[in-house]
Amino acid sequence: MKYTFDIVGVSPAWQFFSQQQQTINQPNRGGVEYLSTHRCTLDSLLETVEPLPMKLGWNTEQVIDTVVQFWLNNAESIHYWKTRLIDAGNENILVARLAEITSLQAEFEFLLGK
């Protein structure tokens, strides 16, 4: 399997929690997880990612490598989101997406009605 990781935004914590609660009740399209953290650091992102491979049956080494490679190859994007998170204040969190590529493609096709 191949995985993808990306930072998708900054959100009020309550709004992210509410969105996560709504997705629990939806039919599982699986393979796409949205994560949150109060800090924009590699360590904090890895902490949020670590339980997922076991839960989803993913390859732990590949998942962690995907996050680390994102961190190493996207310094400008990371700086941007770190600044946005600081500007947003303490009640906000950084939101990231970790997905198995095929599942993410299926989710996008679903959203586009294909």
Side-chain angles (χ1 to χ4, degrees):
M1 279 195 242
K2 286 191 170 191
Y3 306 97
T4 181
F5 177 85
D6 200 7
I7 297 172
V8 295
V10 172
S11 172
W14 65 267
Q15 189 174 17
F16 179 78
F17 178 76
S18 176
Q19 181 65 30
Q20 290 293 88
Q21 291 300 309
Q22 290 175 10
T23 60
I24 287 173
N25 298 325
Q26 292 178 349
N28 186 8
R29 291 191 295 273
V32 180
E33 292 288 327
Y34 290 90
L35 315 161
S36 67
T37 180
H38 287 282
R39 297 175 303 155
C40 186
T41 64
L42 178 57
D43 287 344
S44 63
L45 289 168
L46 287 174
E47 283 178 23
T48 65
V49 166
E50 283 177 350
L52 292 178
M54 190 177 304
K55 172 184 160 190
L56 300 171
W58 290 353
N59 182 300
T60 302
E61 285 183 33
Q62 286 180 349
V63 166
I64 290 172
D65 185 59
T66 298
V67 176
V68 170
Q69 289 304 313
F70 173 86
W71 195 264
L72 293 174
N73 296 321
N74 295 283
E76 193 172 306
S77 175
I78 292 164
H79 177 71
Y80 173 82
W81 288 115
K82 187 177 282 194
T83 303
R84 297 293 71 77
L85 183 60
I86 291 167
D87 291 346
N90 291 337
E91 291 85 36
N92 293 281
I93 54 175
L94 184 73
V95 179
R97 177 184 58 230
L98 177 64
E100 190 275 318
I101 298 252
T102 306
S103 297
L104 183 60
Q105 181 180 0
E107 183 170 291
F108 287 154
E109 288 174 357
F110 174 80
L111 291 171
L112 295 171
K114 293 188 173 189

